[in-house]
Each structure stands twice: as structure tokens, then as C-alpha cells.
Amino acid sequence: PLPPLTAKFRKLLDHVCIKCYDDFSPSALEDTARERIRLDLEEFIKREFQGARLSLFGSSKNGFGFKQSDLDICMTIDGIENAEDLDCIKTIEDLARLLRKHQGLRNILPITSAKVPIVKFYHGRSGLEGDISLYNTLALHNTELLASYAAIDPRVKYLCYTMKVFTKICDIGDASRGSLSSYAYTLMVLFFLQQRNPPVIPVLQEIYKDKKPEILVDGWNAYFFSQLDELRLYWPDFGKNKESVGELWLGLLRYYTEDFDFKEHVICIRRKSLLTTFKKQWTSKYIVIEDPFDLNHNLGAGLSRKMTNFIMKAFINGRRVFGTTVKDFPKEYPSKMEYF
Ligand code: CTP
Ligand code: MG
């Protein structure tokens, strides 16, 4: 147990969390620039792929984007229902050949061996990296789901940004290097906010009038309650949680280091009652995070034991650092954040 925090330090914690959002969230102008790149690429691709449509998803659209976040783009073609009706590998290769002719792009790299084949690119003028995947339809839906949670309460955004900054500084936020994706950490924050008493956010997938509607996407039900202006009528806990962001941030670090039983339970934002790792038969991993729509997808499946320990240690250190009163936080971010 750590000594109690001073009121002044609590204020400082609030300030740090809000600052993560202020420093790293893109301006309206930067958001428009992303939209313009999407449109320009769509026009360009349409010349060879008739009926091609590009949609932005991921952090460009889910409310948790950084200025430097990559451009996640999904391509669909009018008249083609789903990926099964398309030779994905050939399409990605053709797309790469075409994009190499685009003046504004560099480092075109098709990756066809991945679970989701993509073509990567670098957009010179904006300095942004991006990738185009095909019929990544569930990701479009989980982007909408996350955006809805972000819109419910400003503390959701502050905490998800703080979490992202924390994971980047601790070097635990890069799935391509064996740790967890931003998406996985965002699910961890949302789960914590749902489990808090009183909760800060509801479980949108459990709110419906009579019977849960079915919106089938790739065989999964992608329904969630999206009429947020009516949320107070359907969610009895609306507005009950009055904690400050700083309190919640420390609460989150405490929750994942002291309260949450990783061996027993799944991090799962689609239901309020706790789901067991036993029920999912996901008992071989310590950190288990269920995708809200693709219920066969455990976002922690790729973690080694060593990486799991490294992540848990980062949380334990974080809990100590943020739970110990100091007069001031450093004025600068660690140099790692400069590349952000
Ligand atoms: N995604 C997914 N399942 C995963 C990883 C990603 O469905 N295992 C989807 C999510 O919609 C996610 C998007 O792909 O938001 C993009 O992933 P990524 O670029 O890794 O994360 P972002 O949320 O975009 O965050 P960042 O700012 O770090 O790019
Ligand atoms: Mg992204």
C-alpha cells in the first residue's frame, strides 16, 4: 500500500491525462487532410478498379487517433459482396503495382502472407504511413463501436490517450513487435470503465428494446446501441460516476495490478457479467482480450510469456509512479515520444 495522495497531486494527475489528449490528438485540419488523402487515393484507384471504394477506419475514425497514427484504409468494390468473391492476393498485388505509379506515394509494399493481406505505403506530403486492406468489414464496425464509446463521456478519450502514451513510452504498444496493439489497450480501458462502480460507460452491445437485433457481418453479430442521444433513457447508471480522470487513471492501474484476476477472467467489453477464461477455453495465456464482435479472436493470443511479464511489470511500475505524490511531473516527454 502506498501513502495517500495529496489533493494537489490529484489535480496534477488530472492535468497529465488531459495533456496527453491535448498534445497528441489531431486538429480538425489534420483530420480533413486524412479525408483528402483517402479521396485522392480513391479517385486514383478507380481508374483501374471500377467501383472501388476506400473507407478510413482504425484510429483515424475511432476517436483515439494520434497526429502521427497510420492511415488504416479498407477497400471494397461495388457489386462484390465479400472477400470470398475476390482473389485477394492478386488484388493486393495489382493494387501495389498501380500505387507505384502514384506520384505522392513511396515505399509501396504488398504483404500477402498476413492473416489480413495489405499493401503498405508512405504518403510523402503528410509524412503519414498507411495501409489498404480488403473487405475488413468487422474492423469498420469495431471502429464505429469505439467511436460511440468515445462520444459518451470526455473521460473515455482522456484515458485512452493516456493509456496509448503510457504503452508507447513503456514500449509495450506494438503488436508487430510481439506486444499488444493500440486496439487491445483501448479495449482494456473500456472494460475497466464498464466494470467501475458506478460505471463510466455502459455495455452498448447489451442495450436494446425488446430483443437484441442481429446485424450479421462475417457470421458475427455486429449490433450495438448507437442512438447515444437516447442513452439516458436506456442506461440507469447514466451520469452517476463523478470521478476525475486522474482518479480513474490511477484506478485503472490499480485494477489491472491488484483487482482483476487475469487467470480467471477475460477482458470482454460485450457483456457486463464477467466471462471466464475456462468458458472460452483460453486458459493457456495470461492476458486474454476478446474482440467485441469476432468472438474467436483473442487479442492476447500472440503474447509470449516473457512479453506478458514485461507488460505486467510496466503496469506495476506505472501504478507505483502514478500512485506516489511528487510536486511536479517532468516538463518534457521522454525522447521516445518525439517520433510520435
Ligand atoms: N484491428 C482489429 N483487430 C486487431 C487489430 C486491429 O480489428 N487485432 C482493427 C481495429 O479497428 C483497429 C484498426 O484495425 O482500430 C487499426 O489497427 P491499428 O492501426 O493497429 O490501431 P489503431 O486503433 O488505428 O491505433 P494507432 O493510432 O496506433 O494506429
Ligand atoms: Mg492505425
Side-chain angles (χ1 to χ4, degrees):
L2 298 166
L5 302 176
T6 62
K8 204 172 154 211
F9 182 74
R10 283 168 188 279
K11 277 230 147 58
L12 189 61
L13 273 185
D14 289 341
H15 173 75
V16 167
C17 293
I18 294 169
K19 198 169 159 50
C20 285
Y21 172 73
D22 289 345
D23 286 353
F24 293 103
S25 63
S27 63
L29 211 68
E30 286 167 309
D31 277 335
T32 328
R34 283 172 184 267
E35 201 49 56
R36 265 211 308 273
I37 297 172
R38 181 203 69 77
L39 192 65
D40 168 66
L41 291 179
E42 190 179 72
E43 296 292 306
F44 184 79
I45 289 171
K46 269 186 177 160
R47 291 189 215 161
E48 270 187 40
F49 290 85
Q50 253 182 36
R53 258 177 222 281
L54 298 186
S55 325
L56 276 169
F57 67 100
S59 70
S60 305
K61 288 283 167 192
N62 67 18
F64 308 118
F66 277 48
K67 288 175 191 297
Q68 285 301 321
S69 284
D70 63 344
L71 289 153
D72 300 296
I73 298 175
C74 168
M75 176 166 124
T76 53
I77 299 169
D78 286 350
I80 297 179
E81 273 289 311
N82 51 52
E84 275 89 76
D85 303 332
L86 196 70
D87 184 342
C88 284
I89 293 183
K90 183 178 177 299
T91 310
I92 286 290
E93 282 165 352
D94 290 345
L95 193 57
R97 251 191 302 281
L98 174 62
L99 292 177
R100 288 209 171 93
K101 296 183 202 154
H102 190 294
Q103 295 281 316
L105 303 180
R106 272 182 268 155
N107 308 348
I108 310 295
L109 184 67
I111 300 177
T112 49
S113 58
K115 199 180 85 181
V116 181
I118 53 169
V119 49
K120 280 168 121 11
F121 63 81
Y122 174 78
H123 184 262
R125 247 172 81 106
S126 63
L128 295 176
E129 302 202 1
D131 51 62
I132 303 181
S133 50
L134 306 172
Y135 288 87
N136 205 349
T137 321
L138 270 181
L140 299 178
H141 287 268
N142 69 41
T143 297
E144 292 293 324
L145 177 68
L146 265 48
S148 298
Y149 280 117
I152 290 174
D153 188 301
R155 292 173 294 177
V156 177
K157 274 198 179 195
Y158 294 140
L159 285 170
C160 288
Y161 274 85
T162 305
M163 181 70 137
K164 256 169 121 163
V165 172
F166 177 76
T167 60
K168 299 294 171 187
I169 290 178
C170 296
D171 238 335
I172 55 170
D174 188 346
S176 68
R177 284 173 39 228
S179 50
L180 291 170
S181 63
S182 308
Y183 176 60
Y185 287 112
T186 301
L187 296 179
M188 284 179 79
V189 177
L190 297 177
F191 177 71
F192 160 74
L193 294 174
Q194 290 174 332
Q195 296 295 325
R196 195 73 170 163
N197 190 17
V200 180
I201 53 172
V203 176
L204 290 175
Q205 287 166 275
E206 281 185 331
I207 301 181
Y208 41 82
K209 280 168 199 156
D210 312 308
K211 191 172 161 279
K212 182 166 173 172
E214 250 199 2
I215 299 176
L216 276 188
V217 179
D218 296 344
W220 300 107
N221 189 0
Y223 167 82
F224 66 92
F225 183 85
S226 58
Q227 299 104 281
L228 297 185
D229 48 340
E230 290 178 23
L231 188 59
R232 63 167 69 239
L233 305 175
Y234 291 92
W235 180 40
D237 290 319
F238 186 95
K240 286 202 181 136
N241 186 301
K242 308 273 190 221
E243 290 174 274
S244 76
V245 258
E247 266 175 287
L248 287 169
W249 171 239
L250 189 54
L252 181 147
L253 293 167
R254 284 214 172 107
Y255 182 69
Y256 284 119
T257 53
E258 295 168 17
D259 304 333
F260 184 69
D261 186 345
F262 282 89
K263 262 207 117 39
E264 188 69 21
H265 294 126
V266 177
I267 294 165
C268 161
I269 66 157
R270 74 183 157 94
R271 52 183 256 181
K272 181 69 192 253
S273 64
L274 291 177
L275 178 64
T276 61
T277 49
F278 180 75
K279 185 158 182 212
K280 297 289 296 194
Q281 292 295 301
W282 282 344
T283 47
S284 67
K285 295 283 172 181
Y286 185 73
I287 300 178
V288 177
I289 306 171
E290 186 198 58
D291 185 89
F293 298 133
D294 178 352
L295 307 188
N296 285 340
H297 187 191
N298 168 17
L299 286 124
L303 293 174
S304 66
R305 184 183 283 259
K306 209 171 148 194
M307 184 56 82
T308 303
N309 286 338
F310 189 66
I311 292 173
M312 292 314 294
K313 276 189 191 152
F315 278 98
I316 292 166
N317 276 333
R319 187 243 172 280
R320 183 176 44 76
V321 169
F322 286 97
T324 310
T325 295
V326 289
K327 287 216 179 58
D328 232 338
F329 275 120
K331 293 272 176 289
E332 306 289 333
Y333 290 97
S335 57
K336 237 175 235 148
M337 297 305 289
E338 282 166 18
Y339 305 102
F340 238 52

